[in-house]
């Protein structure tokens, strides 16, 4: 056996060893494992690469100062806050944060940051000018001037500038302007001083002076959003909506969250009819200032235009106090009136009349609301300044007639209804004032640098029949304040009252160069038309519409000029667009539509519009003539003859009526 084992080694006994048998790993599993390993390595690398470096508050403070100087105040605020989060004891960052808050018009937050700056070691003496501005932004003008007086010589320019702004807030604009000019005399490149001066001059109506100041501010530092916004506002007033938009865009390019630029752009875009862009701008403004009344008002306007009255009301209510936004008060009153809440509408409209006593539209609206609420006598009192005018509109006269009838005065009601039937028989004149000449002269003497008081005296003199005295006062005002549009308007108004339309047109043109708004445009177009300069009137109107495409008054006037020029198709398109917005109660619009359709050969439609105008003003020669000519075009010679004879009786010297009557006789052979 031993031999056998020696020969056959496999017969040797072996100790058995236990083995761990692993399953075979296929190629796919190996590939997946490798991919997982690579992915883990990549993710680890990314984590290591993105590991935040230690926060450097000094670097963040430097970034805050850089962005503040560049006009990006929102970024400066964020950078300063980040620096303070890293090092709360950094007093310099608190000062930069306060400056950013001041540029963003947040006086309360700025004063809190200044208090923390003092607590962390900042020198209180160097903060008086900043604290003065913070107090002013919170409405404490006296406190602002007190703080400014404590500023050291190194901060004297800023302190004097803030003190000047406080004087303006206290109702001392002439002293404020002199103080700002003194600052600029010693520091001619003070961009904030020029901006404050431009803003003050614009408030005083000195548009040309404001434009000069704004241009100097932008030239001194084109990075300052406040100067860019001011320039845009002046361009909007002088040249129109579209021309102003690039300036607001430039301010937003400096600071995308700068509220004044956002809200100015939103208002301008809305007036220009760019609703989608306006909505985006208001949303951005609300992101900066949640619940902002001005932004919510603009959104409410858009909702009201779309017929969503409940949504418009909800937005206005969400905006809270609307006292600082006259347009919001007006819209709220209109929505209340439409909903039958007349007493609530009366409250808002009374506040507007108190602030704007010469606003005819507000007076009419309040009178209508008062009449609906049952106070007919108050409605008559509200309409009286309109009723005494020769150019009183038919709606106001009808409303006054109904109110007089409600009080039992049927004789007065009949006289008013007769005036409606005969239509407007006089030219537009300056709005009368109830104050005496002595009181108006005393008010003007009390504030010699404010053109508003001088205009009040001029209106009083016109109302008293002293046109020579009024013209002398107006021309003196224009010489003293050549940059104030109101002064040139006053000259034009006095000249119109005397029938001197050519000279008035020149005065209105000077006013339009300073403030090309709707009232100025309407005055200029009317004066040019009466001076027999239709081409110039049409050019003026076209220029205005190029910048203000949504204004209904200007579009209706454009349609009138298109009718006069025989552009029938264009006139129909223009006038029908206006009618779709304002309805069928405007006599002049209906007359123009009747003439346009008649000129286009559509007598049936022309006759419908002529009949509608005739129902509103059956004794107005132009209405009767338009209705008669429409009947002629429609083939009804008998009706046309009756109407045109009536028109000739009402206005025997009217050449247009005589021409229509002659054409009718030639057509029928009689």
């Amino acid at each position: 056996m031993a031999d056998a084992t020696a020969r056959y080694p496999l017969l040797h006994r072996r100790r058995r060893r236990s083995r761990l048998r692993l399953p075979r790993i296929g190629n796919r599993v190996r590939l997946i494992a490798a991919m997982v390993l690579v992915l883990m390595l990549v993710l680890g690398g990314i984590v290591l690469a993105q590991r935040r470096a230690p926060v450097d508050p000094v670097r963040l403070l430097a970034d805050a100062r850089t962005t503040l100087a560049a006009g990006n105040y929102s970024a400066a605020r964020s950078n300063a806050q980040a620096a303070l989060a890293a090092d709360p004891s950094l007093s310099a960052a608190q000062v930069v944060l306060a400056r950013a808050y001041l540029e963003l018009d947040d006086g309360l937050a700025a004063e809190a940051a200044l208090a923390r700056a003092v607590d962390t070691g900042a020198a209180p003496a160097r903060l008086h000018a900043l604290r003065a501005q913070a107090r002013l932004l919170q409405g404490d003008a006296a406190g602002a001037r007190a703080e400014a007086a404590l500023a050291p010589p190194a901060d004297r320019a800023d302190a004097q500038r803030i003190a000047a702004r406080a004087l303006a807030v206290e109702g001392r604009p002439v002293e404020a302007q002199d103080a700002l000019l003194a600052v600029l005399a010693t520091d001619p490149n003070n961009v904030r001083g020029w901006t404050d001066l431009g803003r003050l001059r614009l408030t005083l109506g000195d548009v040309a002076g404001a434009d000069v100041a704004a241009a100097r501010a932008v030239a001194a530092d084109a990075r300052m959003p406040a100067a860019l916004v001011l320039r845009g506002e002046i361009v909007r007033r002088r040249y129109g909506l579209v021309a102003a938009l690039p300036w607001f865009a430039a301010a937003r390019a400096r600071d995308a969250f700068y509220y004044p630029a956002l809200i100015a752009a939103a208002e301008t875009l809305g007036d220009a009819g760019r609703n989608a862009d306006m909505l985006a701008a208001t949303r951005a403004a609300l992101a900066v200032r949640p619940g902002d009344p001005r932004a919510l008002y603009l959104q409410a306007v858009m909702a009201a235009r779309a017929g969503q009255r409940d949504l418009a009301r909800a937005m206005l209510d969400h905006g809270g106090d609307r006292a600082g936004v006259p347009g919001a008060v007006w819209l709220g009153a209109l929505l209340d009136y439409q909903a039958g809440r007349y007493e609530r509408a009366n409250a808002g409209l009374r506040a507007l009349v108190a602030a704007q006593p010469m606003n005819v539209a507000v007076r009419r609206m309040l009178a209508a609301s008062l009449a609906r609420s049952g106070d007919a006598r108050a409605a008559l009192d509200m309409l009286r300044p309109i009723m005494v005018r020769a150019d009183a509109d038919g709606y106001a006269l009808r409303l006054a007639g109904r109110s007089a009838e409600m009080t039992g005065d049927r004789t007065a009601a009949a006289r008013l209804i007769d005036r409606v039937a005969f239509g407007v028989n006089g030219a537009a004149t300056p709005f009368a004032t109830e104050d005496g000449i002595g009181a108006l002269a005393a008010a003007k003497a009390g504030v010699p640098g404010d053109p508003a008081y001088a205009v009040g005296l001029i209106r009083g003199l016109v109302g008293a029949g002293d046109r020579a005295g009024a013209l002398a006062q107006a021309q003196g005002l224009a010489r003293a304040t050549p940059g104030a549009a109101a002064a040139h308007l006053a000259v034009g108004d006095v000249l119109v009252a005397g029938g001197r339309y050519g000279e008035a047109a020149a005065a209105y043109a000077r006013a339009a160069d300073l403030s090309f708004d709707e009232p100025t445009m309407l005055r200029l177009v009317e004066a040019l038309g009466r001076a027999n300069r239709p081409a110039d009137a049409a050019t003026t109107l076209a220029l205005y519409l190029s910048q203000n495409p949504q204004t209904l008054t200007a579009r209706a006037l454009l349609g009138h000029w298109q009718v006069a020029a025989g552009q029938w198709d264009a006139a129909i398109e223009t006038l029908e667009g206006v009618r779709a917005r304002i309805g069928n109660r405007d006599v002049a619009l209906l007359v123009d539509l009747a003439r346009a359709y008649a000129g286009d050969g559509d007598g049936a439609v022309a006759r419908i519009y002529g009949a509608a105008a005739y129902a509103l003003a059956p004794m107005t020669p132009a209405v009767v003539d338009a209705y008669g000519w429409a009947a002629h075009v429609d083939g009804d010679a008998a009706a046309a003859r009756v109407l045109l004879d009536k028109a000739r009786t009402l206005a025997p010297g009217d050449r247009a009526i005589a021409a229509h009557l002659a054409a009718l006789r030639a057509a029928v052979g009689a």
Side-chain angles (χ1 to χ4, degrees), residues 2-43:
D3 294 335
T5 57
R7 291 175 61 186
Y8 301 100
L10 292 177
L11 293 176
H12 286 287
R13 293 182 178 180
R14 298 179 181 177
R15 183 182 296 174
R16 288 187 177 180
R17 298 178 181 177
S18 61
R19 294 182 180 178
L20 178 63
R21 296 181 180 273
L22 296 175
R24 288 186 177 180
I25 300 175
N27 292 334
R28 180 178 295 178
V29 176
R30 290 191 184 95
L31 180 61
I32 293 174
M35 292 176 65
V36 170
L37 180 61
V38 171
L39 181 61
M40 292 177 64
L41 291 173
V42 172
L43 290 175

Side-chain angles (χ1 to χ4, degrees), residues 56-125:
D56 184 358
V58 176
R59 175 61 183 273
L60 290 170
L61 174 58
D63 291 343
R65 285 171 170 159
T66 300
T67 48
L68 184 68
N72 192 346
Y73 307 134
S74 300
R77 177 184 57 192
S78 298
N79 288 329
Q81 288 171 335
L84 289 166
D87 184 359
S89 65
L90 203 59
S91 62
Q94 293 285 8
V95 175
V96 173
L97 179 60
R99 290 183 182 277
Y101 276 129
L102 291 174
E103 298 293 355
L104 295 171
D105 294 335
D106 192 341
L108 184 62
E111 187 157 13
L114 291 171
R116 291 192 296 270
V118 173
D119 292 340
T120 52

Side-chain angles (χ1 to χ4, degrees), residues 156-179:
R156 185 165 298 160
D158 280 340
Q160 290 174 338
R161 180 176 61 83
I162 299 304
R165 288 176 53 183
L167 288 172
V169 170
E170 292 175 334
R172 299 155 66 182
V174 177
E175 295 176 60
Q177 185 168 206
D178 291 342

Side-chain angles (χ1 to χ4, degrees), residues 282 286-287 289-300 309-322 325 328 332 335 344:
T282 55
L286 287 168
R289 295 187 182 181
D292 177 59
R294 292 176 68 182
L296 288 169
Y297 157 65
L298 293 173
Q299 291 189 354
R309 295 177 184 173
D310 292 339
L311 178 59
R313 165 57 63 191
M315 288 178 173
L316 286 177
D317 290 343
H318 184 59
D321 185 13
R322 300 189 293 272
V325 187
L335 293 171
R344 184 173 173 178

Side-chain angles (χ1 to χ4, degrees), residues 347-369:
L349 291 168
R350 285 185 190 279
L352 283 180
V353 169
Q356 306 173 22
M358 298 180 185
N359 191 320
V360 174
V362 175
R363 281 186 172 274
R364 281 196 306 242
M365 186 69 191
L366 178 54
S369 185

Side-chain angles (χ1 to χ4, degrees), residues 493-549:
D493 289 345
V494 176
L495 291 169
V496 164
R500 297 159 64 178
Y501 298 108
E503 298 171 76
Y508 290 147
R510 288 190 290 272
D513 184 55
L514 297 169
S515 182
F516 197 37
D517 56 10
E518 185 174 293
T520 304
M521 179 274 296
L522 292 174
R523 282 176 164 99
L524 178 55
V525 169
E526 181 180 6
L528 289 169
R530 289 179 177 269
N532 197 26
R533 295 166 58 186
D536 292 335
T539 300
T540 300
L541 182 59
L543 179 61
Y544 183 82
L545 280 169
S546 70
Q547 293 290 320
N548 305 272

